[in-house]
Amino acid sequence: MGIDKVETNLVFAHLNGRRRVGIKSSWREAIRFVGLEDFHFHDLRHTNCSNLIEAWADRKDVREMIGHSDIKMTDRYTHLPQRRKIGLQHQLAKHYARK
């Protein structure tokens, strides 16, 4: 038995394409299907913030895009990985080399 393709712009939908009222069971099923453990829906928000910072987005831009009213909340989601810190050091060195 296969699954018929249904056109929808929804991420989580019933097999007939109708909107799901809640996504908890769909989320758990999707996570189980791909073999992830201890991965929560809210982790996507954290990952998005971290990826924006990795792409050199400003914290204020990230705050606006995520919808946080306070930059302190954004700081809880964003962590500067070591390679980003090294990149910032290289940028600073280039800046001083131009002077």
Side-chain angles (χ1 to χ4, degrees):
M1 176 177 133
I3 298 175
D4 295 330
K5 182 175 180 174
V6 176
E7 294 296 325
T8 181
N9 62 350
L10 301 173
V11 175
F12 294 105
H14 290 280
L15 291 177
N16 62 7
R18 285 192 346 251
R19 177 182 301 277
R20 286 189 171 269
V21 176
I23 65 158
K24 285 184 180 181
S25 63
S26 297
W27 177 256
R28 283 192 300 266
E29 187 176 329
I31 293 304
R32 189 172 32 253
F33 179 78
V34 296
L36 291 175
E37 293 181 19
D38 195 31
F39 188 76
H40 307 278
F41 190 79
H42 202 75
D43 293 335
L44 296 175
R45 188 175 179 93
H46 180 91
T47 300
N48 186 45
C49 286
S50 297
N51 287 342
L52 285 167
I53 292 294
E54 281 278 325
W56 303 97
D58 183 85
R59 287 180 342 162
K60 289 181 181 179
D61 294 331
V62 175
R63 180 189 60 79
E64 289 179 16
M65 293 173 74
I66 296 301
H68 291 150
S69 58
D70 188 347
I71 196 75
K72 290 178 185 176
M73 180 59 75
T74 306
D75 287 342
R76 292 178 64 191
Y77 282 83
T78 56
H79 309 285
L80 286 177
Q82 189 62 29
R83 67 176 176 261
R84 168 81 192 251
K85 292 175 188 175
I86 292 170
L88 290 170
Q89 290 172 344
H90 285 279
Q91 283 187 322
L92 183 61
K94 287 179 186 177
H95 169 76
Y96 285 120
R98 288 190 294 253
K99 291 192 175 233

